[in-house]
Amino acid sequence: METVILAVVIAVVVLGALGGLIVGSRRRKPLPPPPPKAPDITAPPAEPHVGEEAETPRDEPRRTIEEVDLPGGPAVVVEEPPAVEAPEIEIEVPEPTAGRLVRLRARLSRSQNALGKGLLTLLSREHLDEDTWEEIEDTLLTADVGVQPTQELVERLRERVKVLGTRTPEELRGLLREELLNLVGTDLDRTVKTEPEDRKPGIVMIVGVNGTGKTTTTGKLARVLVADGRSVVLGAADTFRAAAADQLQTWGERVGAHTVRGPEAGDPASVAFDAVKEGKEMGVDVVLIDTAGRLHTKTGLMDELGKVKRVVEKHAPLDEVLLVLDATTGQNGLVQARVFAEVVDITGIVLTKLDGTAKGGIVVAVQRELGVPVKLVGLGEGADDLAPFEPEAFVDALIGD
């Protein structure tokens, strides 16, 4: 009996222990799995080699490509491609100015129908009555000679024709040539002043309304001076017109002239001042200053032009102030001339577009209006079509051969 009880007790104890183990295992949380180990990377099998290459490789010093002797001639030297240089602007040699107006006579003579030939035809009539003399006056006025000069010329022609009596074509041509030369003026000093005696450089300011060819005339004048052996600096003081400075610089580069310019819409007087300063430092012969040329009827713009003149004269007095006029504008050009003359002291006139449709009488009218001579004339669009004004060549072109 005791044995049975002992066995039962042992069984109960064993069952209790087993139950505790099962409950404890359920209450425990499972542990996270251990991190995977890095796989062992084995080198790929070497490629099979034959002969000496089958031996175990040994560490040997390696040579650079320069140290390796190449078979069959000297080593190849790789050269760097040469730097590409910007193309240089070819410096042009301007046409000599001596006798240039004579060479351009054919262009100038295109305007003779309005004046020279018309007058010769009228004077060749057998009877010069009052109607004929009125036609002569109309011809002169139509050619923009002006009222006062026309009356003077007609009076002299009347007297001389009356004294002459017979009138052969040669006599009439000689008579008309003399009177037109007197009207144009042969005793005026038409030299462009660019060589002051006491200093360097000469200073020339170019003024005029936009559209007359002012900037182009400045560039062409630079060519005239270079052709005569002068060195030039250009001042692009027309800062209010788009591309005016670029245009002037292009003219300068063609003949090797330096151009001083400023920011667009900048102060024109400042540019003019710097141009004269650099011209003095460079020791050039002439400084040409292209000024703004907007509508001459605006007072503020004319004040700006006066300011440019005053600022430039802080360096030295101006040697020339050239007014550029379009010869085809006639009396409108005279209005412009009056206004500019009130602001700056005009010393000379440049007449542009004096070919084809131009009326030659404007030369007489503008000289009478301002009391200053025409010094240069533009006879076309070519680079060398600006010529010193020569009264004899001008009149000969008007009346023809």
Side-chain angles (χ1 to χ4, degrees), residues 236-237 239-240 262-274 304 307-308 311:
T239 60
F240 297 103
E264 186 174 345
D267 182 16
S270 176
V271 176
F273 183 87
D274 291 341
E304 186 75 44
K307 177 184 175 184
V308 172
V311 168

Side-chain angles (χ1 to χ4, degrees), residues 57-305:
R58 298 184 299 271
D59 293 334
E60 295 181 356
R62 300 192 178 189
R63 293 179 293 172
T64 62
I65 189 170
E66 290 82 3
E67 297 173 338
V68 177
D69 294 330
L70 299 177
V76 178
V77 179
V78 180
E79 298 181 356
E80 296 183 0
V84 179
E85 297 181 357
E88 296 183 359
I89 298 176
E90 184 178 354
I91 304 298
E92 300 177 9
V93 180
E95 181 182 353
T97 58
R100 185 179 287 187
L101 188 60
V102 176
R103 294 193 297 273
L104 298 173
R105 180 175 172 178
R107 295 180 184 177
L108 181 59
S109 63
R110 294 172 190 168
S111 62
Q112 66 178 309
N113 291 332
L115 184 58
K117 282 189 175 181
L119 291 177
L120 283 174
T121 300
L122 292 171
L123 291 172
S124 299
R125 290 181 179 178
E126 185 176 354
H127 300 288
L128 296 178
D129 53 15
E130 288 300 321
D131 291 339
T132 302
W133 287 113
E134 287 183 6
E135 288 185 51
I136 292 174
E137 283 191 10
D138 292 340
T139 300
L140 291 168
L141 292 173
T142 303
D144 288 330
V145 173
V147 176
Q148 187 65 30
T150 293
Q151 292 175 348
E152 294 176 7
L153 180 57
V154 170
E155 285 299 319
R156 288 199 299 267
L157 286 174
R158 275 178 177 265
E159 292 177 5
R160 297 195 63 177
V161 167
K162 186 182 297 185
V163 172
L164 186 63
T166 59
R167 302 185 304 278
T168 65
E170 291 75 15
E171 289 173 333
L172 286 174
R173 181 174 285 104
L175 172 64
L176 187 59
R177 185 179 188 276
E178 288 182 24
E179 293 303 329
L180 287 176
L181 280 175
N182 289 333
L183 207 59
V184 171
T186 57
D187 56 347
L188 299 174
D189 183 8
R190 302 181 187 276
T191 306
V192 178
K193 303 294 191 302
T194 56
E195 295 182 285
E197 297 180 357
D198 56 342
R199 58 180 168 79
K200 243 184 178 183
I203 307 172
V204 180
M205 189 165 74
I206 294 89
V207 301
V209 176
N210 283 346
T212 59
K214 178 176 51 60
T215 300
T216 299
T217 297
T218 306
K220 290 182 179 181
L221 179 56
R223 293 180 66 89
V224 169
L225 294 171
V226 170
D228 291 340
R230 316 278 178 80
S231 55
V232 179
V233 162
L234 298 172
D238 185 359
T239 60
F240 297 103
R241 184 168 66 87
D246 293 337
Q247 181 184 357
L248 190 64
Q249 184 169 353
T250 300
W251 278 103
E253 289 173 347
R254 290 177 181 175
V255 293
H258 175 61
T259 301
V260 178
R261 53 188 298 177
E264 186 174 345
D267 182 16
S270 176
V271 176
F273 183 87
D274 291 341
V276 178
K277 179 182 177 182
E278 291 193 28
K280 293 174 68 174
E281 293 173 352
M282 296 172 64
V284 299
D285 297 315
V286 188
V287 175
L288 301 179
I289 302 172
D290 178 31
T291 60
R294 296 152 300 171
L295 294 177
H296 62 284
T297 53
K298 296 185 178 180
T299 306
L301 304 181
M302 302 309 292
D303 290 343
E304 186 75 44
L305 186 61

Side-chain angles (χ1 to χ4, degrees), residues 6-86:
L6 182 60
V8 171
V9 171
I10 292 172
V12 170
V13 172
V14 171
L15 291 173
L18 290 175
L21 289 174
I22 293 171
V23 173
S25 63
R26 288 180 178 176
R27 290 179 179 176
R28 286 196 206 121
K29 293 183 180 179
L31 296 176
K37 296 182 180 180
D40 295 333
I41 300 175
T42 57
E47 296 182 0
H49 297 284
V50 180
E52 295 180 355
E53 293 183 355
E55 298 179 357
T56 304
R58 298 184 299 271
D59 293 334
E60 295 181 356
R62 300 192 178 189
R63 293 179 293 172
T64 62
I65 189 170
E66 290 82 3
E67 297 173 338
V68 177
D69 294 330
L70 299 177
V76 178
V77 179
V78 180
E79 298 181 356
E80 296 183 0
V84 179
E85 297 181 357

Side-chain angles (χ1 to χ4, degrees), residues 306-364:
K307 177 184 175 184
V308 172
K309 179 179 182 292
R310 292 191 300 272
V311 168
V312 168
E313 289 180 334
K314 291 183 178 180
H315 282 295
L318 285 166
D319 298 289
E320 285 277 7
V321 179
L322 299 177
L323 173 63
V324 180
L325 293 176
D326 184 342
T328 63
T329 59
Q331 296 300 314
N332 288 334
L334 297 183
V335 175
Q336 298 172 14
R338 294 188 196 105
V339 177
F340 277 99
E342 293 174 0
V343 181
V344 289
D345 297 325
I346 305 297
T347 60
I349 302 159
V350 182
L351 280 177
T352 62
K353 307 177 186 179
L354 194 63
D355 61 327
T357 59
K359 302 170 183 178
I362 190 65
V363 173
V364 177

